[in-house]
């Protein structure tokens, strides 16, 4: 395994540890702890920590370690603005000629949401929501837009993890028979841009509301 791959592995697993609550906002981690945890040399761990600080996941605390950055309400509002710009652009691009395969993919995601197991948690609902919105960006075929969308939703996921950790699995989402994703899909299939834009905006704002409520 190359040094770059080791660094990427440490980076990704650190993000996952934050998202699953193993490391929480405000916690301090050290280079030494990560070296011991991953059982690898100092260099890839240090490179990963530098990248995590650059991406505002961690901040360096001199002579102490690295603190997990708390995502605040301003960050969430800013993320919503970016999502509005990116996703409305995607919708405008794809709705002129929505392919049958794309509509089928959205309907499959919607089916998975409606028919998820009884053991579903807030995380399964969250991940389904993320996958639906990423599908819009993927369909456009612009790699830069997709990358920005992935990064933006990854930060939303970290915010969700940090804000949700106090409630854990105490709230299990209901699965309504009619969901806004179904209505968005119907509007795209009908090439009804005005309705699709309104529904998409409402869905993005609902995610913001959910994050702020947590």
């Amino acid at each position: 395994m190359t040094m770059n791959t080791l660094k990427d592995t440490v980076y990704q697993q650190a993000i996952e540890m934050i998202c699953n609550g193993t490391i929480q906002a405000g916690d301090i981690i050290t280079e030494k702890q990560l070296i011991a945890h991953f059982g690898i040399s100092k260099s890839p761990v240090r490179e990963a920590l530098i990248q995590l600080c650059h991406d505002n996941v961690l901040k360096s605390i001199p002579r102490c370690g690295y603190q997990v950055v708390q995502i605040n309400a301003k960050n969430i509002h800013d993320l919503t603005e970016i999502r509005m710009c990116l996703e409305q652009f995607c919708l405008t691009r794809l709705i002129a000629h929505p392919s049958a395969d794309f509509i089928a993919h959205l309907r499959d995601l919607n089916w998975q949401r409606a028919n998820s197991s009884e053991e579903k948690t807030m995380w399964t609902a969250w991940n389904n929501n993320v996958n639906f919105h990423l599908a819009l960006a993927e369909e456009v075929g612009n790699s830069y837009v997709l990358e920005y969308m992935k990064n933006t939703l990854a930060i939303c996921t970290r915010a969700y993890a940090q804000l949700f950790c106090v409630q854990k699995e105490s709230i299990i989402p209901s699965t309504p028979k009619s969901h806004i994703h179904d209505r968005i899909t119907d509007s795209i299939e009908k090439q009804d841009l005005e309705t699709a834009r309104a529904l998409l905006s409402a869905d993005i704002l609902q995610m913001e509301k959910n994050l702020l409520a947590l």
Side-chain angles (χ1 to χ4, degrees):
M1 189 176 287
T2 66
M3 192 69 72
N4 245 0
T5 304
L6 284 172
K7 171 237 175 179
D8 293 342
T9 298
V10 174
Y11 179 96
Q12 188 57 45
Q13 290 193 22
I15 295 287
E16 290 173 5
M17 289 165 75
I18 293 170
C19 287
N20 66 27
T22 303
I23 306 172
Q24 297 183 11
D27 284 355
I28 302 289
I29 58 176
T30 67
E31 184 179 283
K32 187 175 180 179
Q33 287 173 332
L34 292 182
I35 289 170
H37 177 80
F38 291 105
I40 58 177
S41 64
K42 181 186 294 186
S43 293
V45 169
R46 180 165 292 175
E47 289 297 315
L49 287 168
I50 290 171
Q51 186 65 44
L52 287 162
C53 288
H54 179 268
D55 293 343
N56 203 36
V57 177
L58 302 175
K59 64 179 177 182
S60 177
I61 309 294
R63 297 180 299 279
C64 187
Y66 297 83
Q67 186 174 45
V68 179
V69 173
Q70 173 71 60
I71 297 173
N72 58 34
K74 169 79 165 55
N75 300 143
I76 292 169
H77 286 307
D78 290 348
L79 289 166
T80 297
E81 288 186 354
I82 290 295
R83 289 191 62 205
M84 285 289 191
C85 293
L86 289 172
E87 295 190 49
Q88 292 290 357
F89 165 78
C90 291
L91 189 61
T92 303
R93 284 284 302 274
L94 66 84
I95 205 167
H97 304 286
S99 70
D101 286 345
F102 174 59
I103 297 299
H105 178 49
L106 293 184
R107 294 206 183 282
D108 181 59
L109 289 172
N110 295 341
W111 184 91
Q112 290 176 40
R113 180 205 71 245
N115 294 279
S116 57
S117 73
E118 293 181 359
E119 296 179 357
K120 68 179 180 291
T121 67
M122 290 295 281
W123 273 115
T124 59
W126 176 268
N127 289 331
N128 182 274
N129 195 17
V130 167
N131 289 336
F132 182 90
H133 289 276
L134 278 179
L136 303 181
E138 289 169 348
E139 182 65 12
V140 171
N142 184 314
S143 60
Y144 295 105
V145 169
L146 180 58
E147 191 63 26
Y148 279 120
M149 272 294 295
K150 285 181 177 178
N151 290 340
T152 300
L153 288 171
I155 299 171
C156 288
T157 299
R158 281 173 38 222
Y160 182 79
Q162 291 177 6
L163 297 168
F164 178 63
C165 67
V166 295
Q167 299 188 43
K168 298 295 182 186
E169 308 296 331
S170 61
I171 302 174
I172 305 301
S174 60
T175 305
K177 291 183 179 179
S178 178
H179 189 279
I180 197 166
H181 288 180
D182 297 306
R183 295 160 61 199
I184 292 171
T185 303
D186 291 341
S187 299
I188 293 173
E189 186 173 34
K190 295 173 183 175
Q191 297 176 273
D192 182 352
L193 179 59
E194 183 178 353
T195 300
R197 285 174 65 92
L199 290 169
L200 182 62
S201 294
D203 196 29
I204 293 170
L205 289 171
Q206 185 60 50
M207 182 184 281
E208 177 186 62
K209 182 179 178 181
N210 291 344
L211 289 173
L212 292 174
L214 290 169

